[in-house]
Amino acid sequence: MVTAVTNTEPRRRNRRGEGGKLRDEIIAAALALLDEGGDERAVTLRSVARKAGIAAPSIYPHFADQPSIMLAVVQQEMDALAKVLREAGDTAAPDARARLFAVCNAYLDFAKLHPQRYRIMFGGLWTPSVEDTSITDADLDSLGVEAFTLLVDVLGACVEEGIAHGSDDLFGDAVALWLGLHGLAHQRAVVRKMPGPADVGDRLIRALAHLK
């Protein structure tokens, strides 16, 4: 994950061939603004440029508009989520039930650790109309695919091993499980004290995965 950069002096120009570095710094600046304020409306071309220590026109070779910066932020965080889920599944005990719980709890932990970023990843005011920006439907449709595929895989493994009751629609079952995780993650983020038992997450996973 890119570390936010806050400059107190005018930024030195990148040498030829370092345009990718500037792009990363722009994304890092946008993330820093989100982490500080928790509101995507704070991310404007001018505020990002100021945070990165560059002139606003320097953004345009890398991003066409503000929504394209936000898209890059969300793509980066979705990649980070997928990495966390993959590592959780890879390091869990070598059985399907353990991998399922490891991946689901890693999802909940990610949302708890990064509540502002998580909220923006799955909605928020940044989501634009494709008619008004440089973003396409394909860009939006691709968000979160890798992370969701990992959830489908671990749930499918439980069905294959006879740990979970299968259905004719594994994809639909995985969507239901994800919606449950997402609802719990969101609720934890918006209430001061979460009601219910401490193991509500495990209960939700067992119920929505149809574990035996």
Side-chain angles (χ1 to χ4, degrees):
M1 186 176 299
V2 179
T3 302
V5 178
T6 303
N7 293 301
T8 57
E9 298 179 0
R11 182 185 182 280
R12 293 171 56 189
R13 293 185 64 183
N14 285 325
R15 293 189 295 272
R16 185 180 299 275
E18 291 187 339
K21 180 180 178 181
L22 177 54
R23 184 181 189 279
D24 290 343
E25 291 175 359
I26 293 168
I27 296 172
L31 268 172
L33 290 167
L34 291 171
D35 288 341
E36 291 168 8
D39 191 333
E40 53 271 40
R41 288 172 293 190
V43 179
T44 65
L45 294 177
R46 181 170 296 181
S47 66
V48 170
R50 183 167 56 248
K51 193 73 171 175
I54 60 176
S58 299
I59 292 177
Y60 290 112
H62 305 279
F63 298 100
D65 46 27
Q66 187 269 1
S68 64
I69 296 176
M70 292 300 303
L71 176 67
V73 167
V74 173
Q75 288 172 330
Q76 177 175 286
E77 294 307 298
M78 286 292 189
D79 289 344
L81 173 61
K83 181 181 179 182
V84 166
L85 300 188
R86 190 182 315 107
E87 290 176 348
D90 290 344
T91 57
D95 66 85
R97 181 188 294 267
R99 290 196 300 274
L100 174 70
F101 275 93
V103 168
C104 290
N105 282 310
Y107 181 98
L108 294 172
D109 290 343
F110 182 94
K112 183 178 181 180
L113 185 61
H114 305 289
Q116 307 296 357
R117 299 184 185 191
Y118 178 83
R119 181 177 62 84
I120 291 161
M121 288 163 65
F122 292 100
L125 299 176
W126 85 272
T127 308
S129 166
V130 294
E131 288 80 16
D132 301 331
T133 72
S134 62
I135 294 176
T136 67
D137 285 327
D139 291 328
L140 298 177
D141 290 344
S142 67
L143 292 174
V145 169
E146 183 179 0
F148 181 73
T149 299
L150 289 167
L151 188 62
V152 174
D153 290 344
V154 293
L155 180 59
C158 286
V159 174
E160 290 178 4
E161 293 186 17
I163 298 169
H165 296 284
S167 76
D168 295 330
D169 185 8
L170 176 61
F171 178 84
D173 292 341
V175 169
L177 175 57
W178 172 73
L179 286 173
L181 294 172
H182 177 66
L184 178 57
H186 173 76
Q187 192 67 13
R188 285 175 171 173
V190 299
V191 299
R192 186 175 62 84
K193 184 176 180 181
M194 184 70 189
D199 66 343
V200 65
D202 287 347
R203 294 187 186 200
L204 182 146
I205 294 166
R206 284 196 297 269
L208 293 178
H210 305 293
L211 295 180
K212 296 179 180 179

